[in-house]
Amino acid sequence: MAQDSKTATHPMPSRRALLKASVLAGTAIALPWQAPEGGAHAQPAAPPRNRTMILSWSGREGRWVDFELWNPYSIGANHQNGPNLIYEPLAYYSAFADKTYMWLAESYKFAPDFKQLTIKTRPGITWSDGAPFSAEDVAFTLNSLRDLGPKVRWGVDVHQAVEKATATDANTVVVDFKIPSPRFFFFMTYKYDIGVYIVPKHIFAGQDFTTFKHFDIAKGWPVTTGPWQVTQATPQQKVFDRRAKWWAAERGLAPLPAVERNIWLPFAGEQQTAQLLITNQLDAGTGMQPATFPTLFRQNPKIITHAGQKSPYGYMDWWPISLYLNNEVKPFDRKEVRWALSNYIDRDQLIDVAYLGACTPSKLPMPQYPPLQPYFDSVKDLLAKHDTNGFDPKKGDALLSGAGFKKDSGGFWADAAGKRVNVDIIGFGGSGPAMGPVLVEMFKRRGIESSLGLPPDFDDRFQKGQYTGSIYGHGGSINEPYATLRLYQGSSIAVPGGHQVNFARWKNAAYDKLVDEMFAVAPDNTRKLVEIFRAAMEIWLPELPDIQLVQNYHRIPMNTTYWKNWPTAENPYVNGAHWHLTFPMVLWNLQPA
């Protein structure tokens, strides 16, 4: 491990020392299933435990704060917190299987110039209130998003492309585009966190998409075409019961799930989640730190991960993590400062301390999945020149000196007016507590003032640009580079949503033009896409809008006591995250153990 002998005077604490696990007791924890507070509920009799799926995820301070939000377009709503089970898509895509499953749509076809798309929806599907699902719902959703634009998630993307959507009959939607839009159907398709939620016109017409909650259990809201009905929603839990009939099972597209009830509990901390898994009161938890898994496996051998019971205890997610620097906040609007900070980070040490080595560095803000490898290969020489994983403190010092910064009497870098470079970092979830303290220590050793906060309103602050530095990922590409390049376009700044948004708030007109050009290129035209990608990286890499850290690994504990056929490396039919839009595919595949 390379260190500057003048500044590295004491060893970095190990991850084991930072996260020394307390003994996880094997006692049961009382769960609030019979004592709902507020909210609404209309549950039938409880099915047996071996027909019940209990998950832990998200929430805030151990409570669901969005239990009344079932319209995924309303401000503050999040598809990850349950709507992913309610709103079925036109199609699903499994990145692990590299396969598209047509769903509410049975087919689609583009015009030769990609300026028109015809979608055929499946006949005979109804919403849970008995109203027919039809092409009108698809056309209404797209036209509404087009008109709302940046007010709602996906509005900017639809407004950019769609001239109008017309239901020419009950099962045909014709989408006319302003510009060639060859990847639009894939954009609408559910994969990871990306996909357009089709809403029922008969309920949403006349409603304000930004405030309408679509929640009234007495009315059967939210309505759905899927197999799950919300029967309870409180600050303590969200409950989904299986409906008696489901169109997809009747047509042989998927079996009626063996799971009869889903109970979603808000995350209450890693230790309590571990205790619940050990005592079989949870079937799956949110992502955990590597240090926790040996104890889990030892006390409950029925727990597995995507990688079995071996490191890295999960799979490489689509969401590589960076240290975002707000490009609208001085001095982080200067590329010299961003590159200097990057050169102060030892990624190998960061991974060793934060993740016990169970991680890999990220060179670009997209995962190194096989379909994306040609794009990584096309910029090998650029990455050699602009090493996004480079650890070179002397180079960092030279960059700051050349930009007019000097060390003050306290040994910290400051500008000509004496104002110190201060990287105030915010974070959340697992990555913030894991990497944040290590980054702060690394920066301080190089003369950069730094601190870490884990605010409960992280999402709100980050999405509004109310931050200086932030540890966060990239919801972009999985099979070709457009979606990642889109993350840095000026037009996607200050747009609602956690994905396909320019959080770095970096702007470059020449770069924007290249991304617009790529939008019109067919996704299978790899030669042309590589050409544009390289040209975009010739701008992006010298600028380094955010600092590359690590690939994100989903280390999801899955309990096989009651349920089997979880997605794993040996059976990778889809990624296993229950917060992603493809989690319904996991529920179709699970079988009683």
Side-chain angles (χ1 to χ4, degrees), residues 277-278 280 289-315 358 554-561 566-570:
L277 285 160
I278 287 168
N280 296 321
Q289 297 304 312
T292 304
F293 282 99
T295 303
L296 280 178
F297 301 149
R298 186 169 57 251
Q299 297 201 25
N300 188 343
K302 292 284 189 178
I303 294 172
I304 62 170
T305 71
H306 185 87
Q309 294 186 344
K310 299 178 180 178
S311 179
Y313 311 117
Y315 59 86
H554 273 170
R555 302 179 185 87
I556 303 169
M558 300 175 292
N559 194 336
T560 63
T561 299
W566 294 96
T568 64
E570 296 179 352

Side-chain angles (χ1 to χ4, degrees), residues 337-417:
V337 175
R338 299 192 294 269
W339 269 110
L341 295 177
S342 181
N343 277 284
Y344 289 152
I345 299 172
D346 182 342
R347 273 82 176 171
D348 291 337
Q349 187 182 44
L350 177 68
I351 289 170
D352 182 58
V353 176
Y355 296 113
L356 303 180
C359 202
T360 50
S362 173
K363 291 182 178 293
L364 294 173
M366 59 187 189
Q368 208 153 345
Y369 286 174
L372 293 171
Q373 193 58 49
Y375 304 98
F376 281 89
D377 292 342
S378 73
V379 294
K380 280 183 177 179
D381 60 325
L382 297 178
L383 284 168
K385 182 179 179 182
H386 306 283
D387 186 359
T388 56
N389 289 167
F391 174 55
D392 190 342
K394 290 183 178 179
K395 185 176 181 180
D397 291 347
L399 285 165
L400 289 179
S401 294
F405 295 88
K406 295 181 180 180
K407 283 194 174 180
D408 62 17
S409 59
F412 287 91
W413 288 99
D415 63 16

Side-chain angles (χ1 to χ4, degrees), residues 201 220 259 323 407 428 489:
K201 180 181 178 180
V259 177
L323 173 62
K407 283 194 174 180
F428 83 112
Q489 274 201 306

Side-chain angles (χ1 to χ4, degrees), residues 70-74 87 140-141 144 198-209 212-214 221-223:
W70 294 93
N71 163 18
Y73 295 111
S74 64
Y87 297 89
F140 169 76
T141 299
S144 297
I198 306 301
V199 299
K201 180 181 178 180
H202 69 286
I203 291 177
F204 276 65
Q207 302 286 356
D208 182 346
F209 272 45
F212 178 53
K213 295 179 179 180
H214 192 201
W221 290 3
V223 301

